């Protein structure tokens, strides 16, 4: 098998539709020689149906990333399909409606806690659950949305992403000794299910269309997926705690 990820065994979370960033990652990874195991949350039969649309139908393991029993059992479930992991993709985010769309001042701690548990703490939880299957050279990759500034409607999800960006650096610190890297891809706005749940998401779409120096395609997940593949590959062997922007250059340009 040839390709950027030839022979690599990957665990990919976060597929729910074929517009999911994780779906593009899984598809491209298979096309580039990787063996892919998916995890699915909630509507498992839907994830299984989507998994069949990949070039190679991929097995799906149930995983609610906030569920300690499922996290504890993840390693054994993965071993039913592959004998180890070279890479793990965290493509998971969720915040209750009160946390998004301008309600920053009113969201309750319970709702904010849910957003942080699913979107931030889970990055560490997933990595630790997968760690026994990983060896030096392995990589963890997650998806963020630029958390260096406050966005009009992103609210507590922005706080969760700021935490994720920090958590990735701490994971880099704590997994470095084992030769395992942790990096994030900071993607521009893409029309996925998660994006549709953000009231006012079109504000991002308009801003990107106007300002991204390279332009921006709201329905093309492949650029973000390609960056994930690069970070999972052997071509960033000395890069960890990094955030690679895949946003048409938006983050680099002032208003
Ligand atoms: N779409 C965008 O504009 C955009 C931009 C930058 C970053 N991101 C990030 O990309 C990642 C993937 O999102 P997407 O845009 O592909 O949307 P998506 O809706 O396709 O994927 C989100 C995934 O999170 C999963 N999930 C939610 N709660 C979970 C839980 N408790 N346990 C396990 N999985 C759970 C869902 O099942 C879903 O598969 C997220 O971290 C998101 O914040 C998205």
């Amino acid at each position: 098998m040839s390709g950027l990820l030839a022979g690599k065994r990957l665990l990919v979370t976060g597929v729910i539709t074929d517009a999911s960033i994780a779906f593009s990652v899984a598809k491209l990874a298979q096309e580039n020689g990787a063996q892919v195991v998916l995890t699915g949350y909630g509507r498992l039969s839907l994830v299984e149906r989507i998994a069949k649309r990949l070039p190679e139908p991929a097995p799906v393991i149930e995983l609610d990333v906030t569920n300690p029993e499922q996290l504890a059992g993840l390693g054994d479930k993965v071993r039913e399909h592959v004998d180890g992991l070279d890479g793990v993709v965290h493509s998971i985010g969720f915040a209750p409606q009160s946390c998004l769309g301008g309600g920053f001042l009113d969201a309750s701690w319970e709702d904010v806690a849910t957003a942080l548990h699913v979107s931030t703490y889970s990055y560490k939880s997933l990595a630790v659950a997968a760690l026994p299957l990983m060896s030096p050279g392995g990589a963890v990759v997650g998806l963020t949305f630029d958390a260096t500034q406050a966005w009009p409607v992103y609210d507590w999800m922005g706080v969760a992403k700021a935490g994720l960006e920090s958590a990735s650096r701490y994971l880099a610190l704590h997994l470095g000794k084992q030769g395992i890297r942790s990096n994030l891809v900071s993607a521009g706005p893409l029309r996925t299910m998660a994006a549709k749940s953000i009231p006012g998401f079109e504000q991002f779409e308009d801003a990107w269309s106007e300002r991204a120096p390279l332009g921006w395609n709201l329905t093309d997940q492949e650029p973000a997926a390609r960056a994930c593949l690069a970070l999972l590959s052997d071509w960033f062997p000395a890069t960890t705690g990094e955030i690679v922007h895949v946003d048409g250059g938006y983050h680099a340009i002032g208003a």
Side-chain angles (χ1 to χ4, degrees), residues 61-147:
I61 296 170
E62 183 174 20
L63 179 66
D64 172 352
V65 87
T66 65
N67 181 317
E69 289 82 37
Q70 289 183 6
L71 285 164
L74 183 66
D76 288 343
K77 292 254 170 70
V78 171
R79 273 195 198 89
E80 289 172 16
H81 306 287
V82 286
D83 54 4
L85 285 175
D86 303 291
V88 176
V89 178
H90 178 285
S91 190
I92 293 171
F94 172 76
Q97 280 297 297
S98 67
C99 294
L100 298 158
F104 183 81
L105 299 179
D106 300 318
S108 69
W109 166 240
E110 285 70 27
D111 285 353
V112 171
T114 299
L116 296 177
H117 196 177
V118 178
S119 314
T120 307
Y121 186 76
S122 69
Y123 188 66
K124 189 276 314 180
S125 309
L126 178 68
V128 168
L131 201 55
L133 288 103
M134 297 184 80
S135 47
V140 184
V141 173
L143 275 303
T144 189
F145 187 74
D146 186 6

Side-chain angles (χ1 to χ4, degrees), residues 158-246:
V159 178
K161 289 302 192 193
L164 175 69
E165 292 178 6
S166 182
S168 174
R169 289 187 286 269
Y170 277 96
L171 213 58
L173 172 67
H174 289 281
L175 299 186
K177 278 189 227 55
Q178 298 172 58
I180 293 168
R181 297 167 289 128
S182 167
N183 293 291
L184 299 179
V185 170
S186 183
L190 293 163
R191 285 189 190 144
T192 62
M193 208 154 110
K196 280 183 198 136
S197 74
I198 304 173
F201 186 77
E202 44 314 323
Q203 293 183 38
F204 293 128
E205 303 191 347
D206 297 343
W208 250 261
S209 307
E210 282 162 25
R211 267 177 53 189
L214 289 174
W216 184 249
N217 184 340
L218 297 153
T219 56
D220 184 6
Q221 277 68 323
E222 191 169 319
R226 280 182 175 238
C228 292
L229 256 66
L231 290 167
L232 291 163
S233 79
D234 297 331
W235 286 89
F236 279 100
T239 299
T240 194
E242 188 57 274
I243 300 175
V244 177
H245 290 84
V246 181

